[in-house]
Every structure is written in structure tokens, then in C-alpha cells.
Amino acid sequence: MSFRPKVGFVSLGCPKALVDSERILTQLRTDGYDISPSYAGADVVVVNTCGFIDSAKQESLEAIGEALQANGRVIVTGCLGKNAEDIRSVHPKVLAVTGPQQYEAVVSAVHRHAPCSQQSDPFTSLVPAARGDVGIKLTPRHYAYLKIAEGCNHKCSFCIIPSMRGKLVSRPVGQVLDEAERLVAAGVRELLVISQDTSAYGSDLKYKLDFWGGRPLHTRLHSADGARKSLALPGRSIPAWQSCGTAPHAPACRGGKYPAADSPLAGNLPATHHSQYVYRRLPGRNRK
């Protein structure tokens, strides 16, 4: 009988970190691991941390300490892992520390410290995900987060996101819509589109042309939203599509103007972006 180690998981921080946790958990399950609902039943515990503000850092360090006390075998990942020495100075007994988006490094660390006798098939792992197969989701069934990009190209003096998450890297629009289609097929009714700078989506790729279902689309938020009607299943309404964190400084927001209030691109504007007067006076670069 093959041995299936159990992995405990703690996910802290923003929805983008939650998506990272979902991806790590899905890969671990594919590799033959079971997920433990408690520290006591886990062979190793992964803590996905947040390091955005001081209170988040403190919460992450406390979560690591709690996991160490309850289990003793802890792997740390996420934004706080960008500065491994800060973690090891407080918790020197952690098994491994990796930074944000280092999915392979986290999975490798789990394999190293809690080996699994079941080996994943390198051939079947190349088969595209089936319609409706969305892996492990940590949100209620009716909604899901859809991450379209990582990082940010702006250098605001009040924000450390670029130093932790790097520069903007957009996913091709075809890949985004493929995932959206699988989520809708799995029963998701509302897609929450997220990234560090949602309105800059595609600018790093120069809005290059991509394909989805044989249909040519530019890698641009408007193009993705325009294809949303095609995601509706027979007998169901068009899935809701909400863009979170849209800022008015990118071309996707029509030359710096705010989207219409009833537009799905309006989303949840950060508080600092509700006034152009305030926004333009924020400390930092690239302000117009």
C-alpha cells in the first residue's frame, strides 16, 4: 500500500496569496498528498505568509510560531519569505523558506521533508485540465478568484509590492479565459478578477494577440470582458465579472478616466483612487 503523507496548510494575506495557496495545494494533491485539517494530523505544515504591512508581518510570524509549537515541521512561503533571514532570526527551526510565486520550490520542499511513495505520472501531468476541473478551491462554490497578472511596474514610495512581487507579468488572455471557462463549468457564478494592478493588464505584453476557442483576442481587460458572454452555460445567466483593484493610471481605464459606474471594470477602486486630486498628489513616481 502506498503511503500518502498529510500536509497542513495556513493561508494568510490577500486573495492573490489565496490563489497561490490553491495552486500549491492542487499540485500537492496531484503528487499524492492528502490535506490535513489540523496541525496534529499533518506530516508537515506549509504557512503562506503576508509581508505587506507590519501587522501582517506580525500575524505571519505568530502563525509560524503556532505551527511550530503544534507540529514542529514547518515550511514557510509567500511574501514574508522574500526576506528569509527575518523569519529565521525569529524561528530558526523552520524547515525551509521560499518567496512569493515560488510554487515549484514549495512543492520540492514538501517532497524533501515528507516524501510520498506515490509518484506523479510525467505524461498524464501534461494533459490539459478537463472542463470543470479547477483543482482545490478555498472559496465558496459560487465565486472564485481569477488572477490575471502578477507584480506591478509602478514605484510608489508608500508601496513595497514591486519589491516583493516583482514587475508586471500578465497571463495571455486565452489562458485566462480557459481557466474562467473551467470555473464556470464547475458551478462558479461570479469571477473576481485580481492582480496587483488590474488595469495595467496586458501592457507588458503590448496587448499582443492571443486566441481562445479559435477566436482572436488582444491581451486586454476589455477583450476578456467582451468574451464573457461566451462563458455562459446553456440555461444559465452570464457569470458576473468584477475587476478588483482597478486604478485610473492605465490604458485599460480609457486614458486615465474612470470606468462607468455600472461597468464590471469599475470593480473596487482603492480608497486613494476615488479622487484624481488625491491620487495625483500621492508620493511616488509615474504620476500624471
Side-chain angles (χ1 to χ4, degrees):
M1 177 182 291
S2 61
F3 173 63
R4 294 175 65 91
K6 292 185 177 181
V7 178
F9 209 99
V10 179
S11 186
L12 304 172
C14 64
K16 294 171 283 293
L18 189 72
V19 172
D20 294 342
S21 297
E22 292 173 342
R23 178 170 174 176
I24 295 168
L25 285 168
T26 298
Q27 184 59 53
L28 289 173
R29 187 182 67 175
T30 301
D31 291 348
Y33 289 84
D34 287 332
I35 309 304
S36 173
S38 66
Y39 292 133
D43 295 288
V44 67
V45 176
V46 177
V47 180
N48 190 4
T49 60
C50 178
F52 187 54
I53 56 178
D54 289 341
S55 60
K57 294 177 182 178
Q58 185 60 37
E59 181 186 17
S60 295
L61 290 172
E62 289 175 358
I64 295 169
E66 179 182 319
L68 281 169
Q69 184 177 8
N71 184 280
R73 296 172 56 78
V74 177
I75 294 170
V76 179
T77 188
C79 290
L80 192 61
K82 185 76 173 180
N83 299 310
E85 62 277 5
D86 293 344
I87 296 174
R88 292 193 181 278
S89 64
V90 180
H91 300 297
K93 294 184 179 180
V94 295
L95 300 176
V97 179
T98 67
Q101 303 119 55
Q102 295 182 0
Y103 313 109
E104 294 80 7
V106 179
V107 173
S108 296
V110 173
H111 278 281
R112 187 165 60 253
H113 295 286
C116 181
S117 59
Q118 176 180 324
Q119 298 295 321
S120 59
D121 190 328
F123 296 102
T124 58
S125 64
L126 296 176
V127 177
R131 183 180 175 88
D133 181 7
V134 294
I136 292 178
K137 287 296 170 185
L138 302 177
T139 52
R141 189 170 184 267
H142 68 281
Y143 77 87
Y145 293 109
L146 180 63
K147 185 157 66 170
I148 62 173
E150 274 291 359
C152 181
N153 286 341
H154 296 277
K155 299 177 181 178
C156 306
S157 61
F158 57 85
C159 180
I160 62 171
I161 287 296
S163 65
M164 288 194 302
R165 292 267 178 176
K167 291 189 175 182
L168 177 69
V169 179
S170 300
R171 296 173 63 192
V173 69
Q175 187 183 114
V176 169
L177 289 170
D178 279 341
E179 182 179 353
E181 187 175 30
R182 292 196 302 273
L183 289 168
V184 172
V188 172
R189 306 301 296 272
E190 183 177 8
L191 299 171
L192 301 179
V193 181
I194 58 172
S195 70
Q196 269 73 37
D197 187 1
T198 307
S199 56
Y201 171 66
S203 61
D204 58 314
L205 300 177
K206 301 187 185 301
Y207 310 108
K208 75 172 185 178
L209 190 67
D210 197 19
F211 292 87
W212 176 63
R215 175 181 175 181
L217 293 169
H218 287 282
T219 301
R220 187 187 291 269
L221 202 56
H222 286 299
S223 299
D225 179 58
R228 184 167 53 103
K229 293 182 180 179
S230 302
L231 295 173
L233 297 176
R236 290 191 185 179
S237 59
I238 300 171
W241 177 288
Q242 183 177 9
S243 173
C244 302
T246 303
H249 52 63
C253 279
R254 307 177 190 273
K257 295 181 180 179
Y258 291 102
D262 59 349
S263 167
L265 298 180
N268 298 323
L269 288 173
T272 52
H273 297 162
H274 279 288
S275 166
Q276 288 276 15
Y277 178 86
V278 172
Y279 183 78
R280 289 171 180 166
R281 285 158 180 78
L282 289 174
R285 302 177 184 176
N286 302 330
R287 295 283 170 256
K288 295 181 180 180

